[in-house]
């Protein structure tokens, strides 16, 4: 019996895709093919990731990301309210205009983990909800474009949602994100 391949950036991208498949199965299928990975490999990557998360004596979250993705491309010190944290960024081949960002607080505690626009990369022009396309924008970009927005609880730990109003028709919507990447837009209530 052969040992499993090391868990690295390819497998991590498959983990991100696994959760995105709930909302964008066609995009995930195309991305999986681009990575030359089978559905079984995507399931196995997710199984292994979940096992790492739940291991009783597993690595801390920040150490886990470093072991899987290597050293970050960049690290920036940021202030969030009264606290300082480090924003570590890793490139992922599947999304060249984005970076996987991990926000780590004192002692390496991970506060947030998601996809963000790569430094210097141009984001989409967002003027109305008609400009929102799956996988085209991040939570921060939508929040800035449609301010003020109201953050909402996501349906899973890797999901976020923003309640927003379209400036064109003044109707409410909910933008849903997985790992920080826009997935879909739903009509919103009050």
């Amino acid at each position: 019996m052969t040992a499993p391949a090391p868990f690295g950036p390819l497998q991590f991208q498959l983990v991100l895709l696994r959760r995105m498949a709930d909302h964008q199965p066609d995009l995930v299928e195309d991305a999986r093919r681009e990575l030359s990975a089978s559905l079984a490999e995507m399931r196995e990557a997710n199984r292994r990731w979940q096992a790492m998360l739940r291991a009783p004596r597993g690595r801390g979250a920040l150490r886990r990301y470093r072991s899987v993705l290597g050293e970050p491309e960049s690290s920036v010190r940021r202030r969030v309210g009264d606290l300082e944290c480090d924003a570590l960024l890793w490139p992922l081949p599947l999304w060249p205009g984005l970076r996987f960002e991990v926000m780590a607080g004192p002692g390496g505690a991970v506060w947030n983990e998601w996809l963000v626009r790569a430094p210097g990369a141009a984001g989409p022009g967002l003027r109305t909800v008609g400009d929102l396309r799956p996988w085209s924008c991040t939570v921060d970009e939508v929040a800035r474009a449609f301010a003020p927005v109201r953050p909402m609880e996501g349906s899973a730990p890797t999901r976020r949602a923003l309640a927003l109003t379209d400036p064109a028709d003044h109707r409410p919507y909910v933008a849903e994100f997985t790992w920080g990447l826009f997935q879909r837009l739903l009509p919103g209530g009050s």
Side-chain angles (χ1 to χ4, degrees), residues 100-136:
F100 190 76
E101 178 186 74
V102 172
M103 299 284 285
V110 171
W111 293 347
N112 194 36
E113 50 217 320
W114 62 4
L115 291 162
V116 297
R117 186 69 49 199
L126 302 175
R127 290 172 297 286
T128 71
V129 296
D131 296 326
L132 296 173
R133 302 278 183 265
W135 294 16
S136 69

Side-chain angles (χ1 to χ4, degrees), residues 18-154:
R18 176 72 179 91
R19 181 58 78 185
M20 292 179 192
D22 296 339
H23 297 309
Q24 294 297 331
D26 292 340
L27 288 175
V28 167
E29 184 66 19
D30 292 344
R32 192 174 53 73
R33 272 195 227 103
E34 185 179 327
L35 294 174
S36 300
S38 70
L39 191 55
E41 288 170 312
M42 187 167 78
R43 285 190 195 114
E44 177 61 11
N46 192 62
R47 185 197 66 73
R48 289 176 64 193
W49 180 255
Q50 294 302 320
M52 282 190 267
L53 293 178
R54 290 170 176 68
R57 289 184 304 274
R59 302 177 179 124
L62 187 55
R63 286 187 58 212
R64 182 175 47 253
Y65 283 117
R66 286 180 185 274
S67 75
V68 168
L69 299 172
E71 283 304 306
E73 176 181 78
S74 64
S75 178
V76 179
R77 195 92 169 133
R78 287 200 193 140
R79 191 162 193 76
V80 179
D82 292 339
L83 300 173
E84 284 195 9
C85 63
D86 292 312
L88 294 90
L89 299 172
W90 284 271
L92 295 174
L94 196 53
W95 295 285
L98 301 174
R99 294 296 180 265
F100 190 76
E101 178 186 74
V102 172
M103 299 284 285
V110 171
W111 293 347
N112 194 36
E113 50 217 320
W114 62 4
L115 291 162
V116 297
R117 186 69 49 199
L126 302 175
R127 290 172 297 286
T128 71
V129 296
D131 296 326
L132 296 173
R133 302 278 183 265
W135 294 16
S136 69
C137 49
T138 65
V139 171
D140 287 345
E141 291 166 336
V142 173
R144 280 192 305 272
F146 296 96
V149 298
R150 183 173 46 90
M152 300 172 66
E153 191 76 24

